[in-house]
């Protein structure tokens, strides 16, 4: 099974407008998919995990707001 990796600019193009530091914080808090370390200076994210994360944010938006 082939996995596509996304760089930070690819993540931004998909509409995730968070900074690199914010993504790192979300990852540490378990709120964003974990990165894949490619080298000491290079990271990427798995495309399918990012797509699932975006879909979950959209689905959560459709939930009624608690009063």
């Amino acid at each position: 099974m082939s996995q596509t990796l996304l760089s930070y600019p690819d993540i931004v193009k998909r509409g995730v407008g968070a900074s690199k530091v914010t993504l790192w914080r979300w990852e540490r808090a378990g709120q964003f998919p974990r990165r894949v370390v490619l080298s000491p200076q290079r990271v990427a994210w798995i495309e399918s995990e990012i797509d699932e994360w975006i879909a979950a944010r959209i689905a959560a938006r459709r939930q009624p707001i608690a009063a």
Side-chain angles (χ1 to χ4, degrees):
M1 180 172 150
S2 175
Q3 294 285 337
T4 301
L5 296 175
L6 301 174
S7 65
Y8 177 72
D10 295 330
I11 301 282
V12 171
K13 287 177 190 172
R14 287 176 181 259
V16 180
S19 71
K20 292 178 183 180
V21 172
T22 297
L23 294 181
W24 176 79
R25 288 179 181 150
W26 289 352
E27 286 176 45
R28 289 196 54 179
Q31 299 171 342
F32 194 75
R34 293 185 62 193
R35 63 189 69 205
V36 175
V37 177
L38 303 176
S39 74
Q41 299 296 317
R42 204 79 166 139
V43 298
W45 290 264
I46 298 172
E47 180 180 37
S48 61
E49 292 178 358
I50 296 301
D51 290 343
E52 289 172 15
W53 183 85
I54 292 170
R57 301 289 77 69
I58 292 169
R61 169 179 174 256
R62 296 184 182 123
Q63 299 299 318
I65 298 173

